[in-house]
Amino acid sequence: MRYRDATDADGDAVAAIIEAVFGEYDGCTFNRAAEYPDLDRVASTFANHEGGFWLAEDEAGRAVGCIGITRTADPDTFELHRLYVLPHARGTGASARLLAQAIRHAREHGAHRIILWTDTRFHSGQRFYERHGFVRLPGTRVLDDESMSQEYRYVLSLDAACPAGSALSASRSSRSPSAGAACGWPSRSIHGRHRTAAPRH
């Protein structure tokens, strides 16, 4: 598995991943034009919010996973978006490696916490986040989207103790450029909800 920064040309690959994952869940609809216009300039959109977007690729160079992160209105808080991995690439460590890179980015930009929203139907994703130290907060929100989504909110404190083997722990142990390169990341990254102003999920 290889990992790299996304470019604006990767929108179609990211859309294909999201559409495939949504297809695993009843009632989840992917409408790129209406709800994901930022995919047309995916790298620039995330960079414009002091964030980043990354891909996991298989040996043939096909994108099999993705993740993004942006700074919120609270300068101490970043929001995680779009952690999706195709079924055949699950269990390879790709999700954890992508998450560790997003956490590392937030740390390097002074964040103290990361939040995310995840669909209530995504049970395996919720278990993944909880294994990596995210805590689910009370309540849900309902989106006015084609999937009629309800979402849970999670928060990860970057100042808390690291769960053993978690992506939070990995982000702390691989902060130098040389360590990042050893993990399969370029030593220099690109830093350049459903509106262009900010990514949706």
Side-chain angles (χ1 to χ4, degrees):
M1 200 74 67
R2 299 180 300 181
Y3 303 86
R4 66 172 177 84
D5 294 9
T7 72
D8 283 345
D10 289 316
D12 289 347
V14 174
I17 293 170
I18 299 173
E19 186 170 23
V21 173
F22 278 19
E24 300 177 59
Y25 298 91
D26 291 340
C28 281
T29 301
F30 178 70
N31 186 331
R32 175 175 175 174
E35 298 181 351
Y36 296 86
D38 58 277
L39 293 185
D40 293 340
R41 299 181 68 249
V42 63
S44 296
T45 298
F46 279 77
N48 288 342
H49 293 272
E50 299 183 66
F53 202 95
W54 302 274
L55 297 179
E57 295 180 328
D58 62 19
E59 288 71 15
R62 295 181 293 256
V64 297
C66 60
I67 196 170
I69 198 165
T70 57
R71 192 187 293 276
T72 69
D74 175 359
D76 292 332
T77 305
F78 273 65
E79 182 171 356
L80 197 70
H81 306 268
R82 313 247 176 89
L83 175 51
Y84 298 110
V85 174
L86 293 178
H88 71 274
R90 295 170 194 164
T92 64
S95 296
R97 292 277 290 279
L98 288 166
L99 179 58
Q101 174 63 12
I103 293 173
R104 186 177 304 117
H105 178 94
R107 281 186 176 286
E108 291 173 351
H109 287 74
H112 290 281
R113 70 192 62 83
I114 294 173
I115 62 169
L116 66 87
W117 292 89
T118 182
D119 197 290
T120 57
R121 290 167 282 200
F122 296 172
H123 302 302
S124 61
Q126 293 152 27
R127 291 191 295 270
F128 170 82
Y129 293 127
E130 290 164 7
R131 286 198 305 273
H132 289 277
F134 284 84
V135 176
R136 194 173 104 190
L137 301 178
T140 62
R141 72 175 181 181
V142 178
L143 301 185
D144 182 20
D145 63 0
E146 292 187 13
S147 302
M148 302 188 65
S149 303
Q150 293 188 51
E151 296 183 330
Y152 294 128
R153 189 185 190 206
Y154 279 81
V155 63
L156 174 70
S157 171
L158 299 183
D159 303 320
C162 304
S166 69
L168 179 58
S169 176
S171 75
R172 286 179 174 171
S173 62
S174 302
R175 297 180 67 181
S176 71
S178 60
C183 288
W185 294 100
S187 59
R188 183 173 181 272
S189 294
I190 296 173
H191 299 302
R193 303 208 42 174
H194 50 170
R195 299 290 180 260
T196 304
R200 179 177 170 226
H201 290 302

